Amino acid sequence: MKKLINSVEQVINEQISGLAHAHPSLRVNDEPLYVVRADAPVAKKVALISGGGSGHEPMHAGFVGKGMLDGACPGEIFTSPTPDQMYECGLAVDSGEGVLLIIKNYTGDVLNFETAVELLHGEGNKVASILVDDDVAVKDSLYTAGRRGVANTVLIEKLLGAAAEQGADLDKLVELGHKLNNHGHSFGVALAACTVPAAGKPSFTLADNEMEFGVGIHGEPGIERRTFTNLNDTVDQMFNTLIENGDYKRTIRVWDREAGDWLEQEQHKTALKAGDKVIALVNNLGSVPLSELYGVFGRLQHNCQQFGIEIERNLVGSYCTSLDMQGVSITLLKVDEQDLALFDYAATTPALHW
Amino acid sequence: MKKLINSVEQVINEQISGLAHAHPSLRVNDEPLYVVRADAPVAKKVALISGGGSGHEPMHAGFVGKGMLDGACPGEIFTSPTPDQMYECGLAVDSGEGVLLIIKNYTGDVLNFETAVELLHGEGNKVASILVDDDVAVKDSLYTAGRRGVANTVLIEKLLGAAAEQGADLDKLVELGHKLNNHGHSFGVALAACTVPAAGKPSFTLADNEMEFGVGIHGEPGIERRTFTNLNDTVDQMFNTLIENGDYKRTIRVWDREAGDWLEQEQHKTALKAGDKVIALVNNLGSVPLSELYGVFGRLQHNCQQFGIEIERNLVGSYCTSLDMQGVSITLLKVDEQDLALFDYAATTPALHW
């Protein structure tokens, strides 16, 4: 293993320190570790925080800034942050309008974030959470009950961030968050695995004609290994699987502020259909050249056009990565005009800026 | 070799087609191939064009837009575009205020771009060129007489683009271009080589404890192979070499519009010294995770501070790549207040946007 790091033990600290030096718009707290907007708490605005294992950069710390997140909590690589990270981060960003926690659906994250919700509630803060589970590849996985939360998280953070900046209250943001989660679907493939520093070797090995189909963002397996042939064939298979598996009902836990307890709530994801308008995200899982991502986008555009889906906006680049994995994911988020206005709204973060 | 492409023959076309679909702000011409701002030619503004072999994305097409380039010409992978690409692109963007060609110093590029300058002059267009040769690693290489043009090209395109947008005329842009080139220094290392699709295998092989020190952006060798130990040691060696080899005199060819011919002109690069203010660019050569780039930036910041150089602005990310090479380059561009204002000026391109 050759990586531009000093040691496995120091890796998160040295990288977050570099991030902080590069972006004076961020403020880093070391103990417990979290990253917030330097101007936090921002008055008259619900605060948005997220977090998760490191190794997915720029997610989430790269999305902290005006128009997106108020704070982010990096865990160790591929490991959930602890409840006290999320709790302290929540206290640091709450201006009194409340805090929304954006949780990717992994067992560890859900447990720790829910504890943070309870702690913040106990401290008298208005608090709520939404769950992101956009990966159509698996129902359950090594890391999850239910579908995994992957790259749609980026789009949700963008749109909710814009809505919060425009004055949406906590209830409104929760409602919008559920809607955006139910309207978003992702699917990933890998041609080669990532190498976690502490492991020192790739998390799986593929033959020259194999791909991991439906791969996660921690090197965990997906649906199956398939034969890798070429770009078009791969994107076609991804697109078809994403469309065919879009419909999905499940029960999630929603925080009831009045009762101070969790409620079970049925949520329904609906499959994309002809006539839908979407934001498309072609996301680098790590080491794929940008030029190849544009090849993927071109084929995805072709598939959408054939199917009758219109791509209204797009992002093509590295947003929700898995260290140095050679792979790509596609995300299609069904949107209306209001969602598009939120996407277009200004954001000034290290990784998204317009 | 596993790449998300359909075939070696189609690769440039399918990728540029995807780029065009993703960014309606661009217009692609197929024969000869070039990419221009959809609103080109822009009245009352000198047009800036660049180009070079593909494989360095987002450079250059990703920098076409308001505040940077008016046009870019992609060659085949690691191969110069032809004179007619640059010539036709120049005709397409010239509003009457003239065209500036930004040339990275590679033998093929220089020959072809200079021919395009002569063709545009012959057609009655005001035209000039500047040469970028920022790579301190080598005096001559497989691809060059003199130093190579690498990532400082991105900063030069940013600053000249802002100046052009603000109304600087062609002579003023040439003068500023020479200054920015003389004030910029870059140095790269690779831990693993890139794979050119047509070759089908990595362009060199390194042992687990080796790095290619002073690597170029086409997989060509640098100064030497050195032992790779860790992040800090690597960045320290890069920084020291960059500082020690900054001073450099050479003769370049400058287009004399009056005479309609090339003039020889001595140019002098000066080494960075304590007290200088710089823009720092930590550039991914391909497959290095963003988190590791922040580690590099953190150490570079430390080195600059120790030496007495102040980093006023920074870019950390993938700007001037070499396909999937596992490597990183650092660029330090000495700047004054006027340069910083140009850096801060709005740009709306696919890859740089603020």
Side-chain angles (χ1 to χ4, degrees):
Chain A
M1 175 185 73
K2 283 199 286 191
K3 286 183 181 286
L4 286 163
I5 64 176
N6 287 312
S7 72
V8 171
E9 296 71 28
Q10 293 173 46
V11 66
I12 303 300
N13 286 340
E14 79 194 8
Q15 292 172 351
I16 293 288
S17 162
L19 175 83
H21 277 112
H23 303 289
S25 62
L26 306 180
R27 189 174 75 234
V28 174
N29 190 75
D30 287 323
E31 281 294 336
L33 183 62
Y34 61 77
V35 180
V36 296
R37 286 172 61 162
D39 58 355
V42 181
K44 298 183 184 167
K45 193 186 86 71
V46 174
L48 268 55
I49 65 177
S50 191
S54 293
H56 308 303
E57 291 71 20
M59 191 173 78
H60 298 273
F63 303 128
V64 172
K66 190 162 156 46
M68 282 188 85
L69 298 177
D70 295 82
C73 300
E76 294 295 312
I77 289 177
F78 296 169
T79 305
S80 171
T82 53
D84 67 308
Q85 287 179 263
M86 298 299 298
Y87 166 66
E88 297 278 356
C89 181
L91 292 180
V93 297
D94 190 359
S95 69
E97 298 296 319
V99 187
L100 178 66
L101 282 74
I102 300 169
I103 315 175
K104 298 196 302 304
N105 189 34
Y106 298 96
T107 307
D109 291 58
V110 171
L111 267 172
N112 291 346
F113 280 60
E114 287 190 355
T115 303
V117 166
E118 294 163 16
L119 290 169
L120 284 164
H121 178 85
E123 202 65 33
N125 298 71
K126 277 199 287 186
V127 62
S129 66
I130 61 154
L131 194 72
V132 184
D133 59 347
D134 55 315
D135 187 349
V136 305
V138 289
K139 287 240 168 57
D140 297 301
S141 79
L142 282 182
Y143 290 80
T144 50
R147 293 185 171 181
R148 299 177 290 221
V150 290
N152 194 36
T153 315
V154 179
L155 298 177
I156 289 178
E157 290 175 359
K158 174 70 189 75
L159 273 62
L160 288 185
E165 209 73 52
Q166 293 174 10
D169 68 16
L170 192 53
D171 292 335
K172 174 89 181 162
L173 291 171
V174 169
E175 185 191 345
L176 179 59
H178 289 318
K179 183 190 90 165
L180 295 174
N181 183 45
N182 284 330
H183 286 180
H185 311 272
S186 297
F187 194 88
V189 298
L191 306 189
C194 58
T195 298
V196 177
K201 59 176 192 191
S203 53
F204 52 79
T205 309
L206 294 169
D208 265 358
N209 65 344
E210 285 180 329
M211 63 177 166
E212 187 70 37
F213 193 69
V215 77
I217 56 173
H218 309 92
E220 72 272 35
I223 301 174
E224 60 184 335
R225 291 200 177 170
R226 290 195 181 177
T227 302
F228 173 70
T229 54
N230 61 33
L231 168 67
N232 287 357
D233 178 48
T234 303
V235 178
D236 293 354
Q237 291 182 56
M238 294 171 75
F239 179 81
N240 292 335
T241 308
L242 187 148
I243 296 294
E244 287 160 12
N245 294 276
D247 212 72
Y248 178 55
K249 277 187 191 155
R250 76 282 187 220
T251 301
I252 62 167
R253 283 157 59 90
V254 177
W255 183 248
D256 182 333
R257 288 209 303 285
E258 298 292 313
D261 203 356
W262 298 95
L263 292 180
E264 306 259 294
Q265 192 177 89
E266 191 176 77
Q267 292 278 341
H268 190 177
K269 270 183 193 282
T270 49
L272 290 165
K273 58 183 193 309
D276 284 346
K277 296 174 189 299
V278 300
I279 299 172
L281 167 55
V282 171
N283 173 59
N284 195 353
L285 289 172
S287 64
V288 176
L290 177 59
S291 51
E292 294 179 31
L293 300 182
Y294 280 120
V296 172
F297 182 79
R299 187 63 181 184
L300 178 62
Q301 163 77 33
H302 168 87
N303 286 321
C304 284
Q305 199 164 29
Q306 297 281 309
F307 187 79
I309 291 173
E310 196 169 342
I311 300 179
E312 295 279 340
R313 300 289 187 281
N314 68 81
L315 286 177
V316 178
S318 299
Y319 295 98
C320 167
T321 62
S322 180
L323 292 170
D324 56 349
M325 180 179 284
Q326 189 193 357
V328 65
S329 69
I330 58 176
T331 299
L332 296 177
L333 171 63
K334 179 184 162 182
V335 288
D336 56 27
E337 289 304 315
Q338 182 200 348
D339 301 328
L340 288 173
L342 294 173
F343 182 80
D344 292 341
Y345 191 78
T348 50
T349 74
L352 267 186
H353 201 144
W354 63 71
Chain B
M1 175 185 73
K2 284 199 286 190
K3 287 183 181 286
L4 285 164
I5 64 175
N6 287 313
S7 72
V8 171
E9 295 71 28
Q10 294 173 46
V11 65
I12 303 300
N13 286 340
E14 78 193 9
Q15 292 172 350
I16 293 287
S17 163
L19 175 82
H21 278 111
H23 303 290
S25 62
L26 306 179
R27 189 174 76 235
V28 174
N29 190 75
D30 288 322
E31 281 292 339
L33 182 61
Y34 60 78
V35 180
V36 295
R37 287 172 61 161
D39 59 355
V42 181
K44 297 184 184 166
K45 194 187 85 68
V46 175
L48 268 56
I49 65 177
S50 190
S54 293
H56 308 301
E57 291 72 20
M59 189 173 80
H60 297 274
F63 302 128
V64 173
K66 191 163 157 45
M68 283 188 83
L69 297 177
D70 295 82
C73 300
E76 293 296 312
I77 289 177
F78 296 168
T79 305
S80 170
T82 54
D84 67 308
Q85 286 179 262
M86 299 300 297
Y87 167 66
E88 297 277 354
C89 181
L91 292 180
V93 297
D94 189 0
S95 68
E97 297 296 318
V99 187
L100 178 66
L101 283 74
I102 300 170
I103 315 175
K104 297 196 302 303
N105 189 34
Y106 298 96
T107 307
D109 290 58
V110 172
L111 267 173
N112 291 346
F113 280 60
E114 287 190 354
T115 303
V117 166
E118 293 163 16
L119 290 169
L120 285 164
H121 178 84
E123 202 64 32
N125 298 71
K126 277 199 287 188
V127 62
S129 66
I130 60 154
L131 195 71
V132 183
D133 59 348
D134 54 316
D135 187 348
V136 305
V138 290
K139 288 242 167 55
D140 297 302
S141 79
L142 282 182
Y143 290 81
T144 50
R147 293 185 172 183
R148 298 176 291 220
V150 290
N152 194 36
T153 314
V154 179
L155 298 177
I156 290 178
E157 290 174 359
K158 174 70 189 77
L159 274 61
L160 288 184
E165 209 73 51
Q166 292 174 11
D169 68 17
L170 191 54
D171 291 335
K172 175 91 181 156
L173 291 172
V174 168
E175 184 191 345
L176 179 59
H178 289 318
K179 183 191 90 165
L180 296 173
N181 183 45
N182 284 330
H183 286 180
H185 310 272
S186 297
F187 194 88
V189 298
L191 306 189
C194 59
T195 298
V196 177
K201 59 176 192 198
S203 53
F204 53 80
T205 309
L206 294 169
D208 265 359
N209 65 345
E210 286 180 328
M211 62 178 168
E212 186 70 37
F213 193 70
V215 76
I217 57 172
H218 309 93
E220 72 272 34
I223 300 174
E224 60 185 334
R225 291 201 177 169
R226 290 196 180 176
T227 302
F228 173 70
T229 53
N230 61 33
L231 168 68
N232 287 356
D233 177 48
T234 303
V235 178
D236 293 352
Q237 291 183 54
M238 293 170 77
F239 179 80
N240 292 336
T241 308
L242 187 147
I243 295 294
E244 286 160 13
N245 294 276
D247 212 71
Y248 178 55
K249 278 187 189 156
R250 74 283 186 221
T251 300
I252 63 168
R253 284 157 59 90
V254 177
W255 183 248
D256 182 332
R257 289 207 305 283
E258 298 291 313
D261 203 355
W262 298 96
L263 291 181
E264 307 259 298
Q265 192 177 88
E266 191 176 73
Q267 292 278 339
H268 190 179
K269 270 183 193 280
T270 48
L272 290 164
K273 59 184 193 310
D276 284 346
K277 296 175 187 301
V278 301
I279 299 171
L281 167 56
V282 171
N283 174 59
N284 195 354
L285 289 172
S287 64
V288 175
L290 178 59
S291 50
E292 294 179 31
L293 300 182
Y294 280 120
V296 172
F297 181 78
R299 187 63 182 184
L300 178 62
Q301 162 77 34
H302 168 87
N303 286 322
C304 284
Q305 199 164 26
Q306 297 280 310
F307 188 80
I309 291 173
E310 195 168 345
I311 299 179
E312 295 279 340
R313 300 288 187 283
N314 68 81
L315 286 177
V316 179
S318 299
Y319 295 99
C320 167
T321 63
S322 180
L323 293 170
D324 55 349
M325 181 180 283
Q326 189 193 357
V328 66
S329 69
I330 58 176
T331 299
L332 296 177
L333 170 62
K334 178 183 162 182
V335 289
D336 55 27
E337 289 303 315
Q338 181 200 348
D339 301 328
L340 289 174
L342 294 173
F343 182 79
D344 292 341
Y345 191 78
T348 51
T349 75
L352 268 186
H353 201 145
W354 62 71

